[in-house]
Amino acid sequence: MKKRQFKKLDNSISSFQLIKKKSERYWQKLDLMECWGFQIQEGSKWKKGLSESELEDFQKQLNITFPESLKNYYRTMNGLDKPGIDNNGGEGEIDFGPKFYSYPDDIPTIKARIKLTMEANRVTEDIMKNQNVPPIIPYLGHRFLILDHEENVLSMFGSDIIFWGGNLAKGIAQDIFPIRHAEKKKIDTSSFWNKKIG
């Protein structure tokens, strides 16, 4: 993806359609690296987007109201047709698992990711409710969309939290393409969790 295209990404359906088109072309010829973590398999394609009734059920099962950005993403695509592959750095057995989360297959994984991240940061449901802490939802591994008015994407691995993208489309693009021109933004992640629970 070119720098100018990346900079223009917003949360519109047309941005997600662009990501879908360019990523499927990018994945046609793909070499796996010898590393840890799930990688996208060569020839992977996005599964068909969700209907409005599927989106409604998805939200109901997670007990989360999706912002329009997340709805537009899932209206356009819903996970991949091939599982991610983890070659464990060439030192062990090959594992397979989800790369981009999809409905309904990955609902248990999404719930578990949310729970683990909240526990690692000592955030309870009461704290979220009483101190206005926004919900979070992962779209891939430990990449989370923060469901507040800013809708930033954070990489949240336990209590290790860093800014990942200014919107969902940019966050997803950075997880697909070798983008070296990604936006940088200094954010105080302690204000996200610690101030809310302190």
Side-chain angles (χ1 to χ4, degrees):
M1 178 169 279
K2 293 179 180 168
K3 185 175 184 176
R4 62 181 171 75
Q5 292 173 317
F6 175 81
K7 282 186 168 181
K8 288 183 180 176
L9 288 176
D10 57 23
N11 290 319
S12 64
I13 285 181
S14 60
S15 280
F16 292 115
Q17 287 171 335
L18 177 69
I19 290 170
K20 181 177 184 179
K21 179 182 168 188
K22 292 210 164 279
S23 58
E24 288 184 350
R25 190 178 308 145
Y26 179 66
W27 295 331
Q28 284 174 359
K29 202 87 166 130
L30 200 60
D31 294 323
L32 292 176
M33 295 182 290
E34 204 167 86
C35 64
W36 286 266
F38 290 111
Q39 300 174 67
I40 294 169
Q41 291 193 60
E42 185 176 74
S44 291
K45 293 186 182 298
W46 292 98
K47 292 192 257 182
K48 182 181 164 201
L50 301 179
S51 68
E52 295 306 307
S53 62
E54 288 170 322
L55 272 171
E56 198 173 305
D57 185 59
F58 196 177
Q59 293 174 88
K60 210 176 279 180
Q61 289 199 48
L62 294 176
N63 196 25
I64 293 174
T65 301
F66 291 2
E68 204 62 19
S69 59
L70 196 59
K71 288 180 183 176
N72 284 344
Y73 166 57
Y74 278 112
R75 283 171 179 139
T76 310
M77 46 213 179
N78 177 36
L80 302 177
D81 64 350
K82 294 182 182 182
I85 185 167
D86 183 355
N87 57 31
N88 292 296
E91 296 180 6
E93 304 236 343
I94 290 177
D95 293 320
F96 295 92
K99 185 69 178 156
F100 288 91
Y101 298 137
S102 68
Y103 163 91
D105 303 341
D106 299 317
I107 287 175
T109 305
I110 292 168
K111 286 180 176 179
R113 276 280 181 196
I114 292 169
K115 184 176 184 232
L116 284 170
T117 303
M118 287 176 62
E119 285 173 356
N121 290 280
R122 298 182 318 279
V123 176
T124 64
E125 300 225 356
D126 282 344
I127 287 170
M128 289 183 78
K129 186 176 161 187
N130 297 325
Q131 298 182 29
N132 239 6
V133 174
I136 57 174
I137 185 168
Y139 62 85
L140 159 149
H142 49 88
R143 306 286 192 254
F144 286 82
L145 177 64
I146 310 307
L147 305 181
D148 61 7
H149 67 283
E150 289 181 24
E151 290 188 38
N152 285 314
V153 173
L154 301 182
S155 181
M156 304 174 78
F157 191 72
S159 59
D160 182 13
I161 302 171
I162 61 169
F163 176 80
W164 191 252
N167 65 42
L168 181 59
K170 288 180 178 178
I172 291 168
Q174 289 184 141
D175 281 308
I176 296 171
F177 305 105
I179 297 174
R180 304 207 191 329
H181 50 267
E183 60 191 336
K184 292 192 179 1
K185 178 178 175 183
K186 183 163 175 54
I187 61 166
D188 179 8
T189 54
S190 66
S191 68
F192 176 71
W193 291 110
N194 300 338
K195 194 193 291 179
K196 312 280 188 192
I197 64 174

